[in-house]
Each structure stands twice: as C-alpha cells, then as structure tokens.
Amino acid sequence: MKAYLISPSYVRVLARSILSPALQIQLTLAIGFFITGIVSVFYTLTPNPYPREESLIPFGFSVLSTLLFSVGYFIQRVDPPKQNISLRRGSWIVLIAWLIAISTSGLYFVAMQVPIPGHAGEFGFWRMFIDGLYESLSGFTTTGATILPSVEVFPRSMLFWRGLTHWLGGMGIAYLGVTIWKNFKSSREAVINSESESPDIVTYEHNEQARTSGLDFLKAYGVLTAALIALLLVSG
C-alpha cells in the first residue's frame, strides 16, 4: 500500500486531478490583485488631501498568482484530467485552492506590514503572516472580523483588496475560478458542490452547463454590486 501511495503513477494522478485544477483556480486571485494594482495607481495619480503611500506590490502578487495558474494549466495540457471526478476529489481541489489562495493573500498582507505599518520588527514575520492569514480567511469566508487596530493607516489599495476578498468569497474563490476560466477541463460540478454551503447536490448535464450557470450567477452578482456602488455614490 505504501509503495502505491508514493508511486510515480499515483503522484501523476494527484497532480492531474487535484493540483492542476487547484492551481488554475488561482486565476481568481491574479485578476483580483491586478485590479488592486490599478486602484493603487489611481490613488497615486489622484490628488488627495490625506495621501497614503501606495505601491506596485499588488502587481507583483498578480504575477505570482498568474505563475501558479500557468503551472496548473501546463499540467493540464501535458496530462489532461478526467472530467468525471468524485465529490471527494472535488473537495480536495477546493481545499488546496483555498490554502494556496489564503497563503498568497496572507503574504500580501505581510508585505503591507500588518497589523501596523512601520512596526514589522516588533512583530516578526510569522506573527504578521498569521495575522495576514486571519485577515484573508475573514474576507474569503465573508466573516468580516479583523485584527487590524486601525485601517486608516493602510494604503487605500490594501483596503480595497481587503474588501475585495469579501466580494470574491461571496461568490466563492473556486466557483468564480471555474466560471471565468473557459478552458477548465476538470469537473466544474464537483468543484462547485464541494465549495457550496448548501446541503443539496447540484447536477449538470455537462461541464459547459455548469459554467453557464456560474456566468448567470456572476451577472446577478455584478448587477447587485453596481446597484450598491450607485447607492453609495448617491449617499455621498
């Protein structure tokens, strides 16, 4: 049994059916960090009476997430997965995708010097990383809790990312990833059901139907987001 677990063929199966789709889901973070970088540039170029130091760090994390996605896509191209994976294997995909996502986001928070900018030496890397993981999980699970003693001291781009984690988590990191990535070859159904909070199992006739359902969800989500933005603008 032990020889089977560590055999090259078994490792290949795990890479093809679990690691590859989990890495491809990181496209969600790649896009999110890129948008955060655009926000950082916007606040850098926009006059503000209360300036906060912005940076290009989000673009770096967008590149990192894109590299992770590219590795997953490369594995898929070399060794295409089977679409009829089990719900159990779908759960492993979601678990690993989430672990990678919160770790990447946690490192971003470390780069932004959570919990207090300019005091990194007082906390140390691991304390900051744990705080970053907590802040990331709070967002991706839409919990809303925070360990930050004051959010006003951070760049607006970081606050945007912190808010965006809630937006991404509202739909689901994996659900959004398998929806926006058209060439996702693994079973979208298994991934969606594994991340869903509902006890009911959703079935689709084929993989593309699952993506169409996700796009409909994303459209409704986008309309609600636009409506809330409009209300905030009107309210001042």
Side-chain angles (χ1 to χ4, degrees), residues 207-229:
N207 211 28
E208 190 58 30
Q209 186 184 44
R211 181 170 184 263
T212 301
S213 175
L215 289 173
D216 291 338
F217 190 142
L218 185 57
K219 290 175 185 176
Y221 206 49
V223 169
L224 288 174
T225 302
L228 289 173
I229 292 174

Side-chain angles (χ1 to χ4, degrees), residues 114-206:
V114 294
I116 303 175
H119 294 265
E122 300 177 17
F123 296 97
F125 172 80
W126 289 112
R127 159 64 194 278
M128 295 169 68
F129 183 60
I130 295 300
D131 286 350
L133 288 180
Y134 182 91
E135 207 68 26
S136 301
L137 275 172
S138 174
F140 291 138
T141 58
T142 65
T143 305
T146 183
I147 47 81
L148 302 178
S150 174
V151 297
E152 289 81 7
V153 297
F154 287 95
R156 287 174 174 81
S157 57
M158 195 215 79
L159 300 183
F160 177 85
W161 171 253
R162 182 171 171 268
L164 188 61
T165 58
H166 290 76
W167 192 92
L168 297 174
M171 181 171 180
I173 303 171
Y175 192 4
L176 186 58
V178 301
T179 296
I180 60 179
W181 179 229
K182 184 177 181 179
N183 292 323
F184 189 83
K185 301 301 182 183
S186 296
S187 172
R188 289 186 172 93
E189 178 182 301
V191 172
I192 292 171
N193 282 305
S194 296
E195 192 178 47
S196 173
E197 298 176 4
S198 171
D200 300 322
I201 301 298
V202 181
T203 58
Y204 302 96
E205 293 183 2
H206 47 78

Side-chain angles (χ1 to χ4, degrees), residues 55-76:
S55 70
L56 299 180
I57 289 177
F59 287 117
F61 279 87
S62 178
V63 171
L64 173 61
S65 298
T66 301
L67 288 174
L68 293 173
F69 159 78
S70 299
V71 171
Y73 181 58
F74 175 77
I75 295 174
Q76 175 182 282

